[in-house]
Amino acid sequence: MFQFIRNLLNQKGFNAKAKRAFTNYYRFARESKSYLSYCNKMHGIECFMQNNLSKKQFEALTTHFKPNMKVLDIGCGTGDLTDYFAKNYKLKAKGMDLVESKFKYKEANFETTWLGENEYDLVISLDGFYMLNDLYRTLNKVMDSLKPKGKFVLTYTSERPFDKSRLGKALKKRKHDVKDFTQDDKVFNNKAKDLLQEMKSSFIEEGNSSLFHTKYNEIKKNVDSHQNGKMYRSLVTIYK
């Protein structure tokens, strides 16, 4: 199962087994005290997180939040972080992901699901706007779901500078801002790798060696990509 997750992270598209694989991975991670401790130390909040959001990226993202905003989080995973945002920033938040959420967010593939029209003040996607069969169609659908003057804010990682990335090229005719977090992300992943090495015995003692290796291999791949100059990290804001 965990080997499948590792392989899936390298694929360009999801397949029929993706939902089950991620569901199982999230279940093991959410039940792990070691993983929750890792999240707290790396992200600075008491909340389960799967995405690699540094404290600086977290702060930049949350500057877009205002009380009572109607927000949609696409690719929200378990929904824990979406729920955290809703409670701590007083948002009217909804989430959507392939996996089931205990918060009753919608279980669906956002690429193939209608998102509404002129409905949200803000749509966010944290490491979720990848592996799309039709980037342009999905982007148009997200923008249609926004109210006038609404924003789509997402974290995006690419092998090339953002303007040369797939999404960067798709935004040539759209008003958008890009904040570069490449150096911050490099520091974050190196710290994450060191922390996971320190916590290895803790994961193993609770019977989660597979969980440890899955997360460690993900972070190590990021570290290696940064060292080879093939990883660029951005926070992108797209305006309607």
Side-chain angles (χ1 to χ4, degrees):
M1 177 192 67
F2 288 98
Q3 182 60 46
F4 174 76
I5 284 284
R6 296 173 198 143
N7 293 337
L8 185 63
L9 291 171
N10 294 322
Q11 293 178 1
K12 293 183 178 180
F14 287 110
N15 58 41
K17 297 181 180 179
K19 177 181 174 180
R20 183 178 67 179
F22 277 107
T23 296
N24 289 335
Y25 174 78
Y26 289 149
R27 179 172 63 84
F28 278 93
R30 291 189 81 256
E31 294 174 356
S32 169
K33 292 182 179 179
S34 296
Y35 194 91
L36 183 59
S37 176
Y38 164 82
C39 289
N40 186 20
K41 292 175 180 177
M42 286 306 305
H43 306 295
I45 60 173
E46 288 281 352
C47 179
F48 168 78
M49 292 174 62
Q50 166 58 17
N51 45 50
N52 297 318
L53 198 66
S54 73
K55 294 178 183 179
K56 287 184 179 180
Q57 294 168 40
F58 184 96
E59 291 171 359
L61 170 69
T62 56
T63 61
H64 294 277
F65 296 164
K66 294 180 181 179
N68 298 314
M69 276 186 118
K70 195 171 182 182
V71 179
L72 175 64
D73 184 357
I74 53 176
C76 68
T78 60
D80 288 76
L81 187 57
T82 314
D83 184 69
Y84 177 91
F85 288 150
K87 290 178 178 177
N88 288 274
Y89 295 90
K90 299 179 181 180
L91 307 176
K92 297 177 181 178
K94 294 182 179 180
M96 184 180 295
D97 199 277
L98 287 171
V99 302
E100 183 179 1
S101 167
K102 73 172 186 177
F103 304 101
K104 306 302 179 183
Y105 295 138
K106 189 163 186 175
E107 184 180 343
N109 182 342
F110 68 81
E111 184 177 10
T112 57
T113 303
W114 188 63
L115 305 180
E117 191 170 341
N118 298 320
E119 188 168 347
Y120 300 102
D121 300 295
L122 178 69
V123 175
I124 62 173
S125 182
L126 308 180
D127 299 307
F129 211 65
Y130 308 109
M131 296 182 278
L132 301 173
N133 291 316
D134 193 331
L135 171 62
Y136 288 88
R137 180 177 177 275
T138 306
L139 179 60
N140 287 337
K141 184 167 60 174
V142 171
M143 300 309 293
D144 286 344
S145 75
L146 290 168
K147 296 177 182 178
K149 297 184 179 180
K151 295 182 289 187
F152 178 27
V153 180
L154 65 154
T155 54
Y156 193 79
T157 300
S158 55
E159 293 184 352
R160 299 179 179 182
F162 182 79
D163 62 336
K164 297 181 180 179
S165 70
R166 187 182 179 206
L167 180 59
K169 293 177 180 178
L171 295 179
K172 293 293 185 182
K173 296 182 180 181
R174 289 187 182 273
K175 183 181 178 182
H176 67 282
D177 293 326
V178 181
K179 290 187 178 180
D180 181 58
F181 281 96
T182 302
Q183 184 59 36
D184 171 70
D185 192 64
K186 181 178 181 179
V187 172
F188 173 86
N189 279 284
N190 276 288
K191 287 183 177 179
K193 180 182 176 183
D194 291 342
L195 178 59
L196 284 169
Q197 288 175 327
E198 292 175 9
M199 297 183 67
K200 182 177 180 179
S201 60
S202 176
F203 279 90
I204 293 175
E205 286 172 5
E206 67 178 16
N208 277 319
S209 59
S210 292
L211 175 63
F212 166 80
H213 287 295
T214 300
K215 188 63 180 179
Y216 182 81
N217 288 342
E218 174 195 348
I219 294 297
K220 185 178 183 300
K221 179 184 175 183
N222 292 346
V223 169
D224 292 343
S225 294
H226 273 298
Q227 288 178 341
N228 294 326
K230 293 185 177 181
M231 190 163 185
Y232 296 83
R233 180 73 164 175
S234 305
L235 181 72
V236 186
T237 304
I238 309 168
Y239 301 91
K240 184 165 183 177

